[in-house]
Amino acid sequence: MNEVEMRERVDRLSQHPTIQFRCYYNIIRASSGGTSTFVHPPPASAATGCFVPVPSPAKDEVEAHTTMFSQSNPSYYTIGDNSISFIREAVNRHLDK
């Protein structure tokens, strides 16, 4: 799937208000001094708030991905708290209908 197809897929998904999701993805410092991710992040305009970067101290993308839900990850509890809040809000929106 190329970048255009991925963008169209996210755009179609975001047009369905009953479908809610969050994609937490790691962001690490690259050896070049910039940042790097395990996934291809969407453009900033795509599904605002649905894609959430999570800073990781990992040495590379694979380590960041495989330790994302490890208690040794400094963002572990933040991801968990944010997920709990998101699920609670989604359930409450569903029940309020």
Side-chain angles (χ1 to χ4, degrees):
M1 184 177 291
N2 66 36
E3 188 172 341
V4 172
E5 291 171 327
M6 286 189 289
R7 184 172 294 146
E8 289 171 352
R9 186 176 182 188
V10 171
D11 288 343
R12 284 192 311 272
L13 182 60
S14 65
Q15 291 172 3
H16 295 280
T18 58
I19 298 175
Q20 301 168 13
F21 71 95
R22 291 290 180 277
C23 174
Y24 294 98
Y25 64 95
N26 288 299
I27 197 163
I28 64 169
R29 287 271 169 224
S31 57
S32 64
T35 58
S36 183
T37 65
F38 186 78
V39 301
H40 182 76
S45 62
T48 305
C50 294
F51 293 88
V52 182
V54 177
S56 174
K59 68 181 183 301
D60 60 36
E61 296 87 345
V62 173
E63 180 184 330
H65 181 72
T66 59
T67 61
M68 186 172 196
F69 298 106
S70 168
Q71 288 182 343
S72 64
N73 179 354
S75 299
Y76 175 80
Y77 290 102
T78 302
I79 296 168
D81 289 343
N82 290 347
S83 296
I84 290 167
S85 294
F86 173 72
I87 292 166
R88 183 179 50 244
E89 291 167 13
V91 168
N92 287 338
R93 277 192 295 267
H94 178 73
L95 293 176
D96 288 341
K97 288 185 177 183

